[in-house]
Amino acid sequence: MSQRSCLFAGLVIATALVVSSCSRPNEDAEVNASAQRLVAAVNAKDINGIMAYYTPDDSLLVFDALIPRQYVGAAAFRKDWEGFLATYPGALHAEVSDWKSETDGNLAYGRGIFKTSGPDKDGKPLDLTFRVTDVFKKINGKWLVIHEHVSWPVDLATGKADLSSRP
């Protein structure tokens, strides 16, 4: 291989690395924006906006903190979200904190703390803090969750979940 060919190959590789590293922050930003759209949809109690966060077919798998512990498919999980929103008949406030995400090709993951608060059906304050891990896949140019895991820490001595989950 000539010196000129080696130089050209080196430039191609360097360009590919720069392009790859430049596109990654954009991909991470898209995943983060998706999580913020979910929070906004929960605050608005917009079930269609909430479900836009997830893949719309039977490939969605969710391990939820609530019974049943597993939902297969968007239709099943939509019913879970509808039930959850009904827990807060009035105003609902949702927020996400400590959110971190990373992308690699057409897959990404995000993890953070998801908190909801508002009056329950009896008007009593209901504050719930969940740990959430989402696996995203880029489908038709859009990051959609294909797997979600929601949980609370559990006190093994009492068998009770720590619903406010503060560090």
Side-chain angles (χ1 to χ4, degrees):
M1 186 180 259
S2 73
Q3 186 175 14
R4 186 174 192 183
S5 295
C6 286
L7 179 59
F8 179 72
L11 285 173
V12 168
I13 291 170
T15 301
L17 290 173
V18 168
V19 168
S20 173
S21 67
C22 287
S23 66
R24 184 174 165 179
N26 291 338
E27 298 291 314
D28 289 346
E30 287 178 27
V31 170
N32 294 338
S34 179
Q36 290 305 316
R37 284 190 298 275
L38 172 67
V39 170
V42 172
N43 280 321
K45 294 184 160 183
D46 174 7
I47 190 66
N48 292 327
I50 291 168
M51 294 311 297
Y53 185 68
Y54 302 95
T55 187
D57 56 29
D58 287 340
S59 67
L60 176 64
L61 177 64
V62 177
F63 292 133
D64 200 2
L66 305 173
I67 296 172
R69 68 176 173 224
Q70 176 178 310
Y71 294 89
V72 178
F77 196 49
R78 180 185 185 97
K79 289 179 184 171
D80 180 55
W81 266 110
E82 290 169 342
F84 180 79
L85 293 175
T87 303
Y88 295 96
L92 167 61
H93 175 74
E95 61 187 60
V96 67
S97 62
D98 301 323
W99 182 261
K100 305 284 185 233
S101 67
E102 188 168 328
T103 59
D104 188 3
N106 71 338
L107 292 175
Y109 82 93
R111 60 174 169 73
I113 305 300
F114 193 82
K115 179 177 168 104
T116 58
S117 59
D120 68 9
K121 292 177 183 178
D122 298 323
K124 295 178 184 173
L126 179 60
D127 296 332
L128 300 173
T129 304
F130 307 90
R131 302 177 296 191
V132 176
T133 303
D134 289 331
V135 178
F136 297 81
K137 185 173 183 179
K138 196 159 198 179
I139 301 170
N140 297 323
K142 187 175 179 185
W143 288 105
L144 298 173
V145 170
I146 59 172
H147 177 78
E148 183 168 80
H149 187 123
V150 180
S151 66
W152 286 299
V154 173
D155 181 341
L156 293 179
T158 64
K160 293 185 178 181
D162 176 4
L163 302 181
S164 62
S165 185
R166 289 174 179 77

